[in-house]
């Protein structure tokens, strides 16, 4: 048995370079590279190893630790979890900055390997720079914060511990049911310590991602439930996309005359033009899907976590006899809402279920309901596309500060509505372009309005709905799909939170396109607070009124185009439909990152379509609107499932 003497960090790099995955016989390298921001906690150990011999691993330089981890998450997600980029930071603030991104990856079941530097295992120089000291335990460091948001956590306090730590890290990262963030903390002194590692630790490892089938008993339960239903509805979740099951699900629905709705994660697994695709479902869903969901007698959720937005806080499915069926590779998710469960891969499970249903001669009892629902939504789409500012204008969202629209128009000179802008963008970019989003009112508009014919062209992080994911995520998607145009759909609030990876995009010569919707507010939360009897508090970007002391003065003017131009992007400002279309056309000709600063009128986003969202509303208030909001919440709560 041969050995090679090297530092722990050198062994880590060599190990990462030998990891591969295989799906359906197709093999590819699993770890694309490492992205870091170096500090004293990782530069002399991991940095030295990457500099001396990183093999085929690529190196990327991040600009913000949270941003670079979002980039890595998006890269893995766009690759349907078959490739990933590892992330490393220094100790203390660098590590803490990645905690949010770790949670984002874990919520979405996306593999993300985090290698934060840690305090000295020897403790000789304690307290080292940036060390958090806990008097109750010197073992506790900043990296313990990752425990709550990671699927696997370890700390390598001796160089030989690296071997079992990394084997277990790969076990989780390549498991479709358990994938998420993995944190392996690496104390900075141990990174440089040497050990005689066995050569077999560095052998090529091919992690085979297999398609597990549900047990026969589970398949029989699902089969009996579906054949007994007259009006079933399929929910296409993110697991459909990661399994590569889009074509199978679409064929399944067409063969058995079953409509399907899409979650944010599942959208673009199937074609929007399918006559059985009702579009987005739930709180941010459209009228077609939510209308059919109300009367369905069986819900077949495929690869879905059944979040509150998908189920409208368990209120959406109104048929008193409705049954829930869940096909999910995760036993945890399959058990939700008392579902009849089938634990297995989405594609393999649907293929078997197709044969079984065909043998029974099953077909749903829908007549014209599916086509009627789609037709009604198509008419609504025409209205949203034509929605404009002018004589007789009324905002989409009624609850607002009385001067918001007038002051915004006065400041910007804009006449653009958000829904019309989205329709123009959909018509103005390539069919196979990828849109990336995460937070604000845009995910609702896009889930309802965006159409997808090209597979994997809709990349919405709506599990954690993390503001600041959009631009870093767009760069991760571009690295995964360099031949396709990528558009970050981002609000002004999210842009202000995190946009530093624009510089990384410029540095890497990666053209991403940023479509920034500026309505001078955190618009969706302003809608939420004001529709529940709260005043206009802290959600619009206004100056403080010197007379009242409140932030109710004029809007704060910001040129986001100027910000991005300073980073080296080609930028535009659009205040009219003509300016928007011209900017879209010209941006296609560019080879550097672009940003279009789209000034959209507040309160011109889409709103509710037969849905309810359970949020905490004050049970005691002096506001009459607040009391009415609480009563509405209570009435909805009474008619929703308890769990």
């Amino acid at each position: 048995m041969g050995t090679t003497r090297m530092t722990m960090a050198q062994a880590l790099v060599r190990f990462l370079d030998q990891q591969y995955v295989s799906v359906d016989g197709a093999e590819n390298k699993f770890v694309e590279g490492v992205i870091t921001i170096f500090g004293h906690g990782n530069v002399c150990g991991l940095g030295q190893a990457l500099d001396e011999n990183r093999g085929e691993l690529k190196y990327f330089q991040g600009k913000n630790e949270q941003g670079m981890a979002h980039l890595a998450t998006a890269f893995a997600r766009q690759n349907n979890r078959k490739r990933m980029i590892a992330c490393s930071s220094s100790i203390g603030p660098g590590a803490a900055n990645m905690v949010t991104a770790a949670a984002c990856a874990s919520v979405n079941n996306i593999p993300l390997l985090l290698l934060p530097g840690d305090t000295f295992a020897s403790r000789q120089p304690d307290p080292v720079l940036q060390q958090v000291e806990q008097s109750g335990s010197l073992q506790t460091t900043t990296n313990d914060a990752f425990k709550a948001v990671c699927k696997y956590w370890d700390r390598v306090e001796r160089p030989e511990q690296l071997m079992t730590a990394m084997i277990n890290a790969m076990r989780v990262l390549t498991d479709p049911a358990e994938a998420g963030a993995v944190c392996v903390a690496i104390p900075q002194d141990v990174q440089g310590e040497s050990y005689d590692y066995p050569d077999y630790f560095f052998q090529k490892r091919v992690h085979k991602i297999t398609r597990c089938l549900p047990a026969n008993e589970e398949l029989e339960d699902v089969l009996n439930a579906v054949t007994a239903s007259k009006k079933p509805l399929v929910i296409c979740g993110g697991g459909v996309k990661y399994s590569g099951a889009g074509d199978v699900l679409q064929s399944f629905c067409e063969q058995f005359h079953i409509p399907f709705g899409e979650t944010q994660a599942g959208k673009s697994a199937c074609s929007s033009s399918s006559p059985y695709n009702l579009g987005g479902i739930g709180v941010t869903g459209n009228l077609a899907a939510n209308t059919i969901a109300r009367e369905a007698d069986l819900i077949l959720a495929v690869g879905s976590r059944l979040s509150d937005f998908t189920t409208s806080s368990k209120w959406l499915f109104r048929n008193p006899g409705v049954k829930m069926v869940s096909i999910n590779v995760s036993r945890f998710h399959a058990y939700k809402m008392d579902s009849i469960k089938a634990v297995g891969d989405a594609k393999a499970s649907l293929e078997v279920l197709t044969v079984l249903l065909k043998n029974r001669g099953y077909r749903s009892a829908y007549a014209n309901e599916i086509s009627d629902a789609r037709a009604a939504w198509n008419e609504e789409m025409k209205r949203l596309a034509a929605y404009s500012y002018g004589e007789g204008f009324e905002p989409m969202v009624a609850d607002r500060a009385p001067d918001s629209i007038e002051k915004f128009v006065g400041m910007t000179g804009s006449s653009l509505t958000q829904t019309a802008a989205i329709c123009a963008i959909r018509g103005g970019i390539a069919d196979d372009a990828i849109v990336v989003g995460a937070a604000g009112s845009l995910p609702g508009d896009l889930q309802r309005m965006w159409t997808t014919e090209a597979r994997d062209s809709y990349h919405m992080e709506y599990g954690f709905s993390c503001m600041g994911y959009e631009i870093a995520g767009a760069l991760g998607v571009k690295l995964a799909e360099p031949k396709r145009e990528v558009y970050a759909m981002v609000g002004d609030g999210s842009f202000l939170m995190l946009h530093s990876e624009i510089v990384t995009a410029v540095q890497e010569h990666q053209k991403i396109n940023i479509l920034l919707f500026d309505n001078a507010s955190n618009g969706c939360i302003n809608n939420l607070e004001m529709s529940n009897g709260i005043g206009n508090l802290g959600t619009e970007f206004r100056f403080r009124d010197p007379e009242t002391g409140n932030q109710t003065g004029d809007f704060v003017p910001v040129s986001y185009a100027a910000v991005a131009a300073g980073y080296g992007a080609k930028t535009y400002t659009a205040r009219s439909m003509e300016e928007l279309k011209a900017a879209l056309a010209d941006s296609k000709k560019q080879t550097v990152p672009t940003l279009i600063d789209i000034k959209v009128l507040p309160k011109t986003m889409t709103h509710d379509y037969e849905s309810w969202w359970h949020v905490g509303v004050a049970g005691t208030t002096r506001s009459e609107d607040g009391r009415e909001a609480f009563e509405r919440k209570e009435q909805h709560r009474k008619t929703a499932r308890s769990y």
Side-chain angles (χ1 to χ4, degrees), residues 584-605:
L584 286 169
D586 191 69
S587 67
K588 295 178 182 178
K589 305 172 186 176
Q590 306 304 317
T591 58
V592 298
T594 71
L595 180 144
I596 306 177
D597 187 353
I598 310 170
K599 306 297 186 183
V600 290
L601 274 60
K603 307 295 177 178
T604 60
M605 63 284 285

Side-chain angles (χ1 to χ4, degrees), residues 377-397:
W377 179 247
N378 287 337
E379 288 301 311
E380 173 68 356
M381 280 290 294
K382 293 177 184 177
R383 184 184 75 88
L384 297 174
Y387 180 50
S388 61
Y389 180 72
E391 186 176 352
F393 169 81
E394 289 292 335
M396 289 278 188
V397 183

Side-chain angles (χ1 to χ4, degrees), residues 74-88:
F75 178 86
R77 182 173 188 158
Q78 192 64 28
N79 278 293
N80 288 329
R81 308 191 291 200
K82 298 172 187 174
R83 294 161 67 204
M84 56 166 271
I85 296 172
C87 301
S88 178

Side-chain angles (χ1 to χ4, degrees), residues 380-454:
E380 173 68 356
M381 280 290 294
K382 293 177 184 177
R383 184 184 75 88
L384 297 174
Y387 180 50
S388 61
Y389 180 72
E391 186 176 352
F393 169 81
E394 289 292 335
M396 289 278 188
V397 183
D399 299 293
R400 66 190 189 280
D403 64 346
S404 289
I405 295 173
E406 179 184 355
K407 284 194 171 184
F408 186 86
V409 172
M411 178 182 73
T412 64
S414 177
S415 60
L416 273 172
T417 66
Q418 185 160 305
T419 61
I422 288 172
C423 287
I425 292 166
R426 173 65 284 186
I429 67 176
D431 287 342
D432 70 342
I434 303 167
V435 294
V436 180
S441 61
L442 285 169
D445 285 354
L446 293 169
Q447 191 186 6
R448 293 174 180 127
M449 300 172 63
W450 200 258
T451 56
T452 57
E453 295 303 317

Side-chain angles (χ1 to χ4, degrees), residues 345-356:
D345 172 75
K347 183 178 181 181
S349 300
L350 285 173
E351 287 173 340
V352 173
L353 191 58
T354 297
V355 174
L356 296 174

Side-chain angles (χ1 to χ4, degrees), residues 109-121:
N109 293 112
I110 303 299
L112 174 67
L113 176 58
L114 302 171
L115 303 167
D118 211 329
T119 56
F120 278 69

